[in-house]
Amino acid sequence: MPDIFNPSVILSDIPAILQGLPVTLEIVVFSAVIGWIFGLGLALVKMHRIPVLYQICGIFVSFTRGTPELVQLFLAYYGLPVIIEYANYYWGAGIPVRTLPKMLFVLVAFTNITAAYSAESFRATLEGVDKGQMEAALSSGLSRWSAYRRIVLPEALVVAIPSLGSQFVSMLKGTSLAFVVSVVDMTSAGQLVASRTYRYLEMYIALALLYWILSGAFSGLFRVVERLLKRNERVSEGLRASVFVQRVRRLTGREEVERGINVGVTDIRTAKAV
Amino acid sequence: MSVLQISGLRKQFDGTEILRGIDVEVNEGEVVGLIGSSGAGKSTLLRCIDFLEQPDAGRFRLEDYEIADVASAAKADIAHFRRHTAMVFQSFNLYKLKTALENVTLALTDSRKIPASQARDIASEFLARVGLSEKQDSFPDKLSGGQRQRVALARAAVLKPKVMLLDEPTSALDPENVGEVLDVIRGLADQGQSMIIASHEMGFLRQVADHVVFMDHGVVEEEGSAEQVFLHPGKERTQQFLSRARV
Ligand SMILES: Nc1ncnc2c1ncn2[C@@H]1O[C@H](COP(=O)(O)OP(=O)(O)O)[C@@H](O)[C@H]1O
Ligand SMILES: [Mg+2]
């Protein structure tokens, strides 16, 4: 059999590619966390129409969402040093431009992107939170900030999780662009391997599989987090236990079956006592 | 002695004057029934007292705390009024992601700064008073309308407000749930809780209200004792309204 395609290389490439995994995760997790904080800020600025800031943020969001990620990466890569050089020149900031880590540019670019995309999600979900809850909180003496922190933000976050999750996953895939500024993420690590073995197809198959698995894992993680935060929809342990008791009773044909079902569904506490 | 005194309250929305100089007084331990057609301005009046709407003009006094010009009320004035009054809404406005108990506890810990365990005990006792001990760990979406409003009443009562403001507390309920909520309100009234109730439950107001205020198009058209207003209304507008409402 001619040695055109060698499936075993797919497996043997994986450890080398995984060397880039920490960097990939670092980029996506850092830019997600910081980006979400900025995104929330942008959403609040937009909702409260804070003058000047509102216009600036609007342009930032529209620009970031309307330009390719690759272009933004290069803008950060070439633009940030220029800004720093000017800062050094005018204010004597004394920041060494040449030795700045490449990772910094990547993080700045991806943080911007996450911020711009999440801002819309946050705005939509914050505005979707029923105003009555805020009024109830204010009326009972809570400060606006307390009401936001205890009531509005948690609820908005729960609703925002699915869209934040899908943004996270697309950002995860987007990090593969980091290779263009020679940050060694999974994609770069893979290319290094393939440049030695010349088995590009095998490497890219391995790489694709790894991204696929990671995307699936993170999608699942976000679903779990969403379920945990939707505490009102969680089936309580008590209810679960009482349903179990009912099944046992039904199977054993005990007399209280009917009562058990009744009590179990309408009242968890009594069911536990029964 | 009057606990709450509202004088000359005015409020407009988009150039339309909704409250046109309202005077209302609530005495210690008194239940004031607020009646009037839909659109008369009852909700707006109650919301202005809690500064959920910014009043345009008027003078508020809560015991010996006075705001001479509510249009320029300071943050501290607003905080004082919100702290010592408590609102119950037509649509309950319970905190969706909090259990019944947490709904009642939140203001105790976050506004009154009571330690969490103590706050839980107090809240638990108030839920018991509204007959919901069994439901304290339930989330609002698992409760009936009547139960939700009882949680909301406990949430307001637990703050020991000088005046409770109830905005049509039974209007959003299925008929079979109205009674249980009115019973709780009656209980609070019996314990001497001062309150203003905007309501269309004329029979109930006739029983519990010490004083009845009939509002029409942003003014107090007529007021007096429940008996006076319901049985011997002096104004034609009042008579018309009551005959339509069929007391
Ligand atoms: N936020 C608002 N913006 C504009 N108009 C309002 C607002 N709130 C109330 N109104 C108007 O004020 C009038 C009185 O409303 P409301 O106080 O709710 O009356 P009631 O509670 O007696 O039914 C209505 O015509 C209503 O449309
Ligand atoms: Mg109303």
Side-chain angles (χ1 to χ4, degrees):
Chain A
M1 205 167 78
D3 184 25
I4 300 170
F5 176 76
N6 185 348
S8 70
V9 176
I10 297 175
L11 271 183
S12 63
D13 273 354
I14 286 178
I17 297 175
L18 283 179
Q19 304 249 307
L21 178 63
V23 170
T24 293
L25 291 181
E26 202 180 315
I27 300 171
V28 70
V29 171
F30 179 93
S31 61
V33 172
I34 308 292
W36 287 338
I37 294 170
F38 278 119
L40 187 58
L42 289 170
L44 292 174
V45 164
K46 189 159 189 196
M47 284 170 66
H48 296 281
R49 300 188 182 273
I50 296 165
V52 189
L53 264 187
Y54 171 67
Q55 279 84 359
I56 295 173
C57 291
I59 293 170
F60 168 80
V61 170
S62 135
F63 178 82
T64 306
R65 294 175 58 135
T67 47
E69 290 169 11
L70 184 60
V71 174
Q72 284 181 47
L73 200 51
F74 280 125
L75 280 179
Y77 186 71
Y78 293 110
L80 220 50
V82 171
I83 294 171
I84 293 170
E85 300 243 31
Y86 273 111
N88 286 344
Y89 182 81
Y90 285 107
W91 301 303
I95 301 166
V97 176
R98 311 232 166 269
T99 57
L100 284 175
K102 304 246 182 339
M103 186 68 166
L104 179 71
F105 309 122
V106 176
L107 292 179
V108 167
F110 282 107
T111 301
N112 279 347
I113 295 168
T114 318
Y117 279 91
S118 64
E120 267 312 292
S121 310
F122 281 124
R123 189 196 55 77
T125 51
L126 280 170
E127 285 181 348
V129 176
D130 167 35
K131 305 248 179 321
Q133 297 185 69
M134 174 57 116
E135 292 189 341
L138 289 178
S139 145
S140 66
L142 262 73
S143 65
R144 194 165 277 277
W145 165 239
S146 282
Y148 246 106
R149 193 170 56 86
R150 298 299 306 270
I151 306 296
V152 180
L153 286 180
E155 194 180 317
L157 193 65
V158 174
V159 184
I161 291 250
S163 73
L164 294 181
S166 67
Q167 286 163 21
F168 185 95
V169 168
S170 70
M171 202 56 58
L172 172 73
K173 294 180 285 179
T175 56
S176 72
L177 293 172
F179 80 88
V180 299
V181 294
S182 16
V183 164
V184 186
D185 70 327
M186 289 206 313
T187 304
S188 296
Q191 285 169 335
L192 283 177
V193 181
S195 68
R196 285 195 304 271
T197 61
Y198 291 102
R199 295 255 173 212
Y200 280 94
L201 178 61
E202 288 84 345
M203 183 282 286
Y204 276 114
I205 290 175
L207 188 60
L209 289 174
L210 287 175
Y211 275 115
W212 191 26
I213 292 168
L214 272 182
S215 299
F218 278 109
S219 300
L221 182 67
F222 275 90
R223 274 197 298 276
V224 169
V225 170
E226 187 195 4
R227 255 210 309 280
L228 286 178
L229 291 179
K230 264 191 185 164
R231 49 198 299 257
N232 60 322
E233 283 177 18
R234 240 184 292 163
V235 178
S236 75
E237 298 304 317
L239 184 58
R240 218 175 274 152
S242 78
V243 168
F244 177 72
V245 168
Q246 287 162 28
R247 289 215 184 109
V248 171
R249 280 181 181 155
R250 212 171 296 156
L251 287 172
T252 55
R254 293 251 314 260
E255 275 179 30
E256 311 96 297
V257 170
E258 247 188 356
R259 208 175 117 241
I261 292 172
N262 233 335
V263 173
V265 174
T266 54
D267 197 324
I268 299 157
R269 276 153 188 279
T270 5
K272 267 194 276 185
V274 169
Chain B
M1 199 202 93
S2 84
V3 199
L4 175 69
Q5 197 176 8
I6 303 294
S7 330
L9 170 59
R10 291 180 177 276
K11 171 67 186 171
Q12 60 171 31
F13 286 117
D14 321 313
T16 311
E17 194 147 60
I18 300 299
L19 299 180
R20 303 182 289 152
I22 299 275
D23 299 328
V24 174
E25 194 168 359
V26 183
N27 289 316
E28 178 82 53
E30 193 179 59
V31 175
V32 172
L34 190 57
I35 60 172
S37 322
S38 158
K42 305 181 295 296
S43 297
T44 307
L45 166 60
L46 295 179
R47 292 168 59 81
C48 279
I49 299 173
D50 230 15
F51 290 91
L52 293 177
E53 305 291 352
Q54 170 61 46
D56 296 333
R59 184 163 54 83
F60 290 180
R61 191 176 52 71
L62 190 62
E63 288 185 343
D64 49 11
Y65 190 104
E66 183 171 292
I67 310 178
D69 174 19
V70 290
S72 56
K75 256 197 155 117
D77 296 331
I78 296 175
H80 184 91
F81 266 66
R82 284 188 178 155
R83 198 187 170 96
H84 296 287
T85 62
M87 191 100 175
V88 173
F89 302 86
Q90 181 174 347
S91 49
F92 328 124
N93 295 354
L94 293 184
Y95 311 129
K96 231 164 63 183
L97 293 182
K98 298 209 173 288
T99 62
L101 186 69
E102 291 165 344
N103 263 275
V104 182
T105 314
L106 183 67
L108 293 177
T109 53
D110 280 50
S111 160
R112 309 305 197 259
K113 307 295 176 202
I114 295 173
S117 66
Q118 201 183 332
R120 255 197 313 278
D121 292 343
I122 302 172
S124 183
E125 186 203 320
F126 272 76
L127 277 178
R129 284 196 209 170
V130 299
L132 288 176
S133 290
E134 307 279 293
K135 296 289 178 189
Q136 63 176 32
D137 296 326
S138 300
F139 288 91
D141 56 0
K142 305 288 187 297
L143 298 174
S144 73
Q147 291 171 335
R148 288 182 209 181
Q149 196 60 299
R150 277 147 68 198
V151 173
L153 282 160
R155 180 174 68 176
V158 81
L159 300 172
K160 306 241 160 70
K162 295 186 196 303
V163 181
M164 214 161 175
L165 309 167
L166 295 85
D167 190 7
E168 301 203 28
T170 58
S171 296
L173 299 178
D174 293 331
E176 68 268 25
N177 287 333
V178 169
E180 64 191 63
V181 170
L182 293 183
D183 286 345
V184 169
I185 298 173
R186 199 191 319 266
L188 288 167
D190 289 345
Q191 286 161 28
Q193 172 69 59
S194 315
M195 56 178 102
I196 306 182
I197 313 177
S199 178
H200 293 291
E201 294 287 335
M202 298 302 164
F204 175 72
L205 288 182
R206 242 173 93 177
Q207 291 169 9
V208 302
D210 301 290
H211 190 81
V212 172
V213 173
F214 170 61
M215 272 181 75
D216 192 41
H217 291 104
V219 295
V220 173
E221 183 73 19
E222 180 164 359
E223 63 180 314
S225 70
E227 189 178 300
Q228 215 176 313
V229 175
F230 284 126
L231 299 182
H232 315 290
K235 297 274 180 67
E236 200 180 325
R237 297 286 306 166
T238 320
Q239 289 162 8
Q240 279 173 1
F241 170 76
L242 289 173
S243 68
R244 262 183 287 119
R246 265 180 303 158
V247 183

